Amino acid sequence: MHDKGIVCLRLVVLALCAVAGVLATSAQADIRLPAIIGDNMVIQAGDRVRLWGWADPNEAIEVAISWRDFTWGVQADGEGKWEFQMVAPNVGGPYQIMLRGKNTVTIRNILCGQVWVCSGQSNMQWPVQRSMNAEQEIAAAKYPKIRLFTVERRVMETPQDDCKGQWVECSPETVGDFTAVGYFFGRELYKELKQPIGLIHTSWGGTPAEAWMSMRRLKENPNFAPIVTRYEQAVAVYPEALAKYKEDLAKWDEAAAKAKAEGQPAPGGRPNPPMGPGHYQSPAGLYNAMIAPLLSYTIAGAIWYQGESNAGRAYQYRTLFPSMIKCWWDDWRQGDFPFIFVQLANFMEVKDAPGDSAWAELREAQSMTLDMPNTGMAVAIDIGEAKDIHPKNKQDVGKRLALWALANTYSVDVDYSGPLYQSMEKNGNKIVLHFEHCDGGLIAKGGEPLKGFAVAGEDRKFVWADARIVDDTVVVSSEQVPEPMAVRYAWADNPVCNLFNKAGLPASPFRTDIWPGVTVNNK
């Protein structure tokens, strides 16, 4: 090629590069919104809600909302970040919001209603399509005013400002993969309140509570030092552990491929990735990726189903779980919003004799969390499955969560809790138990006798007790324990128990003693 041709070619290339650079700059300068703000979203009715996003540094942006004939101005800061606050209508829609800067972004089909976060581990993640009566439930899920948002599961080492996901209308086409507990909870609210419902699903199976709270909060409390130390030690050896994992996995893959070729089942013991950056159980990893991006979104409250992964450290959960809730309250900047959780369901084999149980101790830690303001607990001790940690009856779980919300958040006159142990008194060779939430009176579901009560004397050896209902109390005794000191109810992994109130809600497991349990030293 002649020199003149080469020069011309270079000029064309430079011109194209310049145009590409301008286009790239323009693309970067476009108004951009986080995933949680978009078409089909529900904003919290009658509350101050935030819009936020990114643009060019110092870019001026106009905000126009369809329910007010007015335009506001907001300016991005030196890093291109901007935030705008407005008061949402009481209830209604659909509305739209238009943002004008160097580009125009329009958010359509917005509803104003009640927004709830649905979080936890696998029993919250469990989808409608794998729950009881799934086919009928999916076919009937025609609720365009219930909106669903699922946060894509990710792990990050530092707090993120965005996540992946999108709002969709609830329909037979969209509900199947959504959290069953969340959907059934939202459906109950929708039917009672007659308001649009927004459900933000952010959960991950097999995860401990510490994965859902900030590292700052974990490091603040000396009780959680073992959690932080374990993780720091894992990170220190992570490169070597990762290399070994990859080597072991390659060997396992080879063995699995050979077994498949020979028509044999794959070998057991598939290697698991080591703890470290990116591990789904890492402390703060899910908070950073799946909670932090939501913290500016105004919500009515949160529901939570988790605890299985912390059962071996139940005493630690007494402080860990409340600290996680407090972390959310502080970081969401909305005060002590309602936080309603599910107490662990019955699971594993039924034992013939009273004994210790890590799961019972975890349920106790959960019930102790009710001492915090604006918390609620749905008891599920009657709807678990012995051989399945994921019971299929998510309908009753969602309904019981909704009862707490309806009564305490929305002031609907409904019975919302089963009997909760309040106090005891000794009366000769008997112990008299007093309860809150007797609502219509105590009953033995399925008929007498009452089941699940055990009593012990000073020797701390529990035996099954005779128990009977007297007005709103339960009187417990045993001929084997002439001087009773303590009572336990439903204190087992999978207890046989039947104390309910006439509202049809089960009593929460409890004990009257404070004797050290099997998880007392586990950190």
Side-chain angles (χ1 to χ4, degrees), residues 208-461:
E210 60 263 28
W212 294 99
M213 56 195 294
S214 71
M215 186 59 75
R216 175 184 60 81
R217 183 73 62 165
L218 285 166
K219 289 183 175 180
E220 281 178 356
N221 194 322
N223 292 327
F224 310 146
I227 295 173
V228 176
T229 299
R230 275 196 302 271
Y231 184 63
E232 290 174 343
Q233 291 171 344
V235 169
V237 299
Y238 182 71
E240 297 85 353
L242 182 62
K244 187 175 188 310
Y245 162 70
K246 290 180 177 178
E247 180 182 330
D248 293 343
L249 183 62
K251 292 178 181 178
W252 186 92
D253 286 340
E254 183 180 348
K258 182 180 179 183
K260 182 178 180 180
E262 296 173 352
Q264 300 296 318
R270 188 181 191 276
N272 293 316
M275 176 57 73
H279 195 284
Y280 70 106
Q281 293 180 329
S282 62
L286 303 186
Y287 171 90
N288 291 334
M290 300 176 65
I291 296 298
L294 311 174
L295 292 175
S296 290
Y297 204 82
T298 304
I299 62 174
I303 59 173
W304 174 262
Y305 195 159
Q306 188 275 339
E308 297 91 338
S309 292
N310 287 93
R313 295 180 278 128
Y315 273 73
Q316 184 188 65
Y317 202 77
R318 293 179 177 190
T319 51
L320 184 67
F321 186 36
S323 293
M324 191 210 81
I325 296 172
K326 187 67 164 56
C327 174
W328 286 25
W329 282 345
D330 290 348
D331 294 355
W332 232 291
R333 297 177 292 166
Q334 282 190 226
D336 301 349
F337 55 76
F339 193 103
I340 311 170
F341 52 90
V342 182
Q343 192 181 53
L344 292 189
N346 48 309
F347 174 55
M348 295 179 279
E349 65 177 302
V350 174
K351 300 292 180 63
D352 293 332
D356 290 316
S357 164
W359 274 51
E361 290 174 20
L362 195 286
R363 294 187 192 109
E364 178 182 51
Q366 290 175 314
S367 63
M368 292 169 73
T369 306
L370 290 176
D371 291 338
M372 299 180 72
N374 233 4
T375 56
M377 182 177 72
V379 176
I381 199 64
D382 59 320
I383 50 178
E385 298 179 28
K387 297 182 179 180
D388 195 341
I389 200 170
H390 304 119
K392 304 301 185 296
N393 182 0
K394 296 295 190 275
Q395 288 88 337
D396 281 330
V397 177
K399 183 174 183 177
R400 291 173 187 180
L401 287 165
L403 289 174
W404 272 89
L406 290 171
N408 296 287
T409 304
Y410 301 108
S411 300
V412 178
D413 185 15
V414 293
D415 297 323
Y416 61 91
S417 174
L420 298 177
Y421 168 72
Q422 186 175 38
S423 64
M424 63 160 274
E425 58 181 301
K426 289 188 64 177
N427 184 3
N429 64 346
K430 299 178 177 63
I431 290 181
V432 181
L433 304 169
H434 298 267
F435 298 87
E436 298 177 281
H437 298 289
C438 295
D439 300 327
L442 300 176
I443 63 170
K445 187 174 182 180
E448 299 283 355
L450 279 178
K451 302 173 184 177
F453 286 89
V455 65
E458 288 186 354
D459 60 3
R460 302 186 181 186
K461 294 180 180 179

Side-chain angles (χ1 to χ4, degrees), residues 47 66 170 174 262 392:
D47 210 334
S66 66
C170 177
T174 60
E262 296 173 352
K392 304 301 185 296

Side-chain angles (χ1 to χ4, degrees), residues 6-185:
I6 293 172
V7 170
C8 290
L9 179 60
R10 286 175 175 167
L11 289 173
V12 170
V13 171
L14 288 171
L16 290 173
C17 289
V19 170
V22 169
L23 290 174
T25 302
S26 299
Q28 291 173 354
D30 282 351
I31 296 172
R32 183 170 65 86
L33 298 171
I36 193 65
I37 298 177
D39 294 349
N40 306 312
M41 69 179 179
V42 178
I43 56 177
Q44 184 60 34
D47 210 334
R48 183 170 292 277
V49 300
R50 299 183 185 92
L51 297 178
W52 74 96
W54 304 270
D56 239 7
N58 305 310
E59 181 176 349
I61 300 168
E62 291 184 347
V63 182
I65 55 179
S66 66
W67 62 87
R68 297 240 352 233
D69 185 19
F70 193 80
T71 300
W72 287 267
V74 62
Q75 186 171 10
D77 65 17
E79 297 180 348
K81 298 177 182 178
W82 58 269
E83 182 178 295
F84 172 76
Q85 295 191 32
M86 60 186 177
V87 177
N90 286 331
V91 174
Y95 302 111
Q96 72 175 31
I97 298 173
M98 184 175 292
L99 305 163
R100 299 188 188 93
K102 294 182 178 178
N103 66 315
T104 299
V105 175
T106 303
I107 312 169
R108 298 177 173 84
N109 197 25
I110 302 167
L111 298 180
C112 293
Q114 302 301 312
V115 182
W116 285 79
V117 169
C118 314
S119 190
Q121 59 177 112
S122 57
N123 272 304
M124 183 61 78
Q125 183 182 330
W126 201 256
V128 174
Q129 64 184 358
R130 299 180 68 184
S131 299
M132 186 174 68
N133 302 324
E135 186 175 343
Q136 299 94 309
E137 294 288 12
I138 291 172
K142 299 171 183 177
Y143 297 101
K145 290 187 178 180
I146 298 178
R147 304 292 173 80
L148 316 174
F149 185 99
T150 298
V151 177
E152 183 179 284
R153 288 189 285 278
R154 290 198 308 161
V155 183
M156 298 300 291
E157 288 294 291
T158 57
Q160 302 297 294
D161 55 16
D162 201 0
C163 61
K164 292 184 179 180
Q166 63 178 0
W167 287 98
V168 296
E169 294 184 357
C170 177
S171 71
E173 292 71 37
T174 60
V175 80
D177 289 328
F178 197 70
T179 162
V181 169
Y183 167 64
F184 295 129
F185 166 80

